[in-house]
Every structure is written in structure tokens, then in C-alpha cells.
Amino acid sequence: MINPQFIQKLKQVCEFDKNVALKEKTTFRIGGKVPFFIKPMNSQEFIDAVRLCQNFRIKYVIMGAGSNVLAPDANIDFVVISTLGLNKCYINRLGFLYAEAGVRLADLVRFATNNELGGLEYLIGIPGTVGGAVVMNAGAFGSEIGNFVEYIDILENGRMVRLKKENLFWGYRHSTFTNSKKYAIIGVGFWLKKERLDVITKRMQYAILLRAKTQKVGYPSAGSVFKKSGDLAPAYLIEQCGLKGYTVGGAQVSTVHSGYIVNLGYSTCQDVLKVIHYVRNKVKENFGVTLELEIIVL
Ligand SMILES: Cc1cc2nc3c(=O)[nH]c(=O)nc-3n(C[C@H](O)[C@H](O)[C@H](O)COP(=O)(O)OP(=O)(O)OC[C@H]3O[C@@H](n4cnc5c(N)ncnc54)[C@H](O)[C@@H]3O)c2cc1C
């Protein structure tokens, strides 16, 4: 039961919807209803919404495009604060490309390209936002977002802070912000190289082609479920265990890319968790490798 005073105050902060099914808000198309789906339209509303949840001790999850999360089927006791309204991208007075947390990566890459700023183009096909990408240190084809970040504006325990690059940690699909509820990412300053438009465009087209060739799985998913373990791709290990196409209910190890689990249209969160459990056990049994999850289970 949500405190009625919280609801009153929230009305003064920003728009929200009630009883929203997360299957409509995640790329996996899985997830039960959250009592409140909060929709700040700018960074001030976002900051106010986060602070309000903190003050009232309301459990909350910040969500960008929902492309790296697996949401529970029912009994959800948290609200969601969406960043999708924080979608401004510009070159700031310091000369950095500044993107608010909810800017889609495709829009970020297009904006950078139009300004002849190179480096980010390998991220073009990742269906996430800047905030989610920074949390995950998202990357593709050997390039990661963290390589280009100069500073990040965050809310930490209700206080606005600018973290400079020397104070940030970047690992493989991991950053200062992964699995930490302490931070709310507001916006990111990128330092990018001035390059010729045709050179940037060529790299972008290459990334688009490569992704279409290897990762067009045809069903809703959250991308790669497991992290790479050393040099070994989870997809290879899973395939070697004969698990391509392994299915529980509506969740299936993709027949196109074994690193993905896809939703055949009627998958529940439980189905996906069962597939994950089985796959991990089999890979451990056959290769002695413990696969670590890349997706975030909410
Ligand atoms: C088809 C497909 C292909 C993909 N390919 C790739 C790929 O090539 N490389 C790759 O790295 N990933 C890939 N992904 C995974 C995913 O797109 C990335 O991890 C992406 O960066 C997640 O961004 P998001 O906005 O969707 O984050 P969400 O899924 O919304 O959130 C991810 C995590 O970040 C947190 N979060 C989000 N925004 C904020 C914020 N502003 N402040 C604090 N916390 C926040 C959330 O609470 C959650 O813990 C793919 C996914 C799909 C579906």
C-alpha cells in the first residue's frame, strides 16, 4: 500500500501512470504491473521524483529503454521512474557532447555523426539509453561507451554530483553504477574526436551490417543474457552443450544466437529463469565455467 501523501506530492512533481504492465515497457515483453510508472519530462522532474521516493522510502527502479532487464511476473513492490523524457542532446559550453540519461543510443550516435564527432558509432544498434548504457558499460565490436565518457552528472543520496572520468570505473559490462541503487544518472558528458563524416558513416554502416548478420533473432529479448567468460563466448559454450533451441514454456535459447534467450510470445519471467538455471548448470557441468548474468533481474 503506497502512502497517500506520497501520491499527493508526486502529482506536484510530474506525470505518472498507475498499474502499468512492465511487459509493455521492456524489450523482453515480460513483466507484471507496477503500481506507479513515473514519467519525468526533464532532469529537474527526474531529480524531484527520485528524491520524493527516497524521502518516503518507496522502493523504486530507474528504467531507460528496459532493454537489459527481466521483470517479475507479479507481486511487484517497487515503482518505476522512467528516464525516457530526459532526451536532450547538445554540445555544451565546455565543448563536450552532453546527453541526458534518457537519450537513445541511436539518437546519440546520429547527433554525434551530424556534428562530425566520431567514436560512438559501434553502439548504433544497441536498443538502450545513455543512462542504461553507462550502468552496463554497453559496447559492441570491441568498443565500449565508457571509453568516451568525460564526466557523469548523478544524484547520489539526494545530492547532485559531477563524477569526472578519473573517478569512474569501467569493466566488461560493468561500471561504477552496476548493481548499485545509490546512483541516479542524470546526464553524461562525452569527449569525442572530430572526424570526417564519410569515415564515421562507414564505421556506422559496418556496425549495422554486422549486427543484422549475427543478432537478428526475430523475437523479443534482452540481448545477451550472460557475460563473456574470458575468451569464451557464452553462445559457443551453450551451443556446444546442445542447448540451441532449448525451451521452457515460452522462453527459448535463440536458434539464431545462443547467447540470447527469446520470448516466443507467451514467456513468463519464471520461464526465463528456468532456462537460465538449466543452461548455467549444463555449461558448468560440461566446461566448469560459471556463466555470470549480464541482464539485470529486477
Ligand atoms: C536486441 C538487443 C541487442 C543488444 N545488444 C547489446 C550489445 O551489443 N551490447 C550491449 O552492451 N548491450 C546490448 N543489449 C543490452 C542493452 O541494450 C544495453 O545494456 C543497454 O545499454 C541498456 O540500456 P537501457 O536504457 O535499456 O537500460 P535498462 O534496461 O532500462 O536498465 C539497465 C540497468 O540500468 C539501470 N539504469 C538505467 N538508467 C539509469 C539511470 N539513468 N540511472 C541509474 N540507473 C539506471 C536500471 O535500473 C537497470 O539496472 C542488447 C539488448 C537487446 C534487446
Side-chain angles (χ1 to χ4, degrees):
M1 174 68 185
I2 301 252
N3 183 336
Q5 260 190 326
F6 166 78
I7 305 172
Q8 272 317 105
K9 297 254 183 203
L10 185 59
K11 282 181 183 160
Q12 292 159 19
V13 168
C14 65
E15 301 264 310
F16 58 87
D17 293 326
K18 282 186 182 173
N19 297 320
V20 171
L22 288 183
K23 66 165 64 165
E24 290 162 18
K25 302 293 180 184
T26 59
T27 58
F28 234 146
R29 299 275 171 260
I30 289 174
K33 287 186 176 170
V34 280
F36 290 89
F37 189 84
I38 303 171
K39 305 185 292 186
M41 293 313 288
N42 55 51
S43 43
Q44 191 55 55
E45 289 186 2
F46 176 62
I47 291 166
D48 291 345
V50 173
R51 283 184 177 147
L52 192 66
C53 289
Q54 289 172 343
N55 291 343
F56 278 86
R57 296 183 186 283
I58 303 282
K59 270 214 242 171
Y60 64 91
V61 165
I62 298 173
M63 197 182 283
S67 66
N68 204 48
V69 292
L70 175 62
D73 295 315
N75 303 323
I76 299 182
D77 65 347
F78 57 80
V79 303
V80 166
I81 304 176
S82 168
T83 62
L84 292 180
L86 281 74
N87 55 11
K88 289 192 195 64
C89 197
Y90 50 92
I91 309 289
N92 68 12
R93 278 180 296 125
L94 304 169
F96 296 114
L97 190 170
Y98 191 81
E100 290 184 338
V103 170
R104 303 246 182 202
L105 292 175
D107 293 335
L108 173 72
V109 174
R110 263 185 232 114
F111 181 83
T113 305
N114 289 340
N115 284 278
E116 302 188 354
L117 295 170
L120 294 172
E121 37 300 332
Y122 290 117
L123 306 180
I124 183 82
I126 302 178
T129 61
V130 166
V134 160
V135 170
M136 302 308 305
N137 193 15
F141 314 123
S143 181
E144 291 171 339
I145 196 164
N147 300 336
F148 306 96
V149 171
E150 193 66 23
Y151 61 87
I152 305 190
D153 291 328
I154 59 161
L155 199 64
E156 183 182 8
N157 301 322
R159 238 170 23 99
M160 267 185 75
V161 184
R162 174 162 291 185
L163 291 178
K164 298 224 174 99
K165 77 170 173 198
E166 51 275 21
N167 299 317
L168 296 168
F169 165 79
W170 303 106
Y172 177 72
R173 302 297 174 265
H174 192 89
S175 76
T176 308
F177 311 103
T178 322
N179 298 321
S180 173
K181 302 253 183 245
K182 218 168 89 180
Y183 307 104
I185 294 162
I186 302 165
V188 180
F190 293 96
W191 183 245
L192 302 169
K193 240 182 20 202
K194 199 83 185 157
E195 283 193 272
R196 277 197 355 238
L197 186 63
D198 60 321
V199 174
I200 303 174
T201 310
K202 224 176 231 161
R203 284 203 298 263
M204 193 159 71
Q205 283 164 347
Y206 170 75
I208 292 169
L209 263 177
L210 206 56
R211 188 170 286 270
K213 237 188 193 169
T214 53
Q215 294 176 22
K216 220 170 169 41
V217 296
Y219 290 101
S221 78
S224 297
V225 172
F226 304 103
K227 288 186 186 181
K228 234 175 23 190
S229 171
D231 285 341
L232 294 172
Y236 170 79
L237 298 174
I238 293 166
E239 218 168 308
Q240 291 303 304
C241 292
L243 293 175
K244 202 171 196 167
Y246 175 74
T247 307
V248 175
Q252 182 177 70
V253 173
S254 166
T255 52
V256 177
H257 185 312
S258 309
Y260 282 39
I261 294 175
V262 294
N263 174 3
L264 297 175
Y266 44 93
S267 176
T268 61
C269 175
Q270 281 309 311
D271 292 343
V272 176
L273 291 174
K274 282 179 191 160
V275 172
I276 288 173
H277 185 71
Y278 189 78
V279 164
R280 280 176 118 175
N281 281 346
K282 282 285 164 201
V283 169
K284 179 80 183 168
E285 220 174 276
N286 287 299
F287 294 99
V289 171
T290 306
L291 289 178
E292 203 187 322
L293 277 187
E294 181 170 322
I295 59 169
I296 310 269
V297 181
L298 298 179

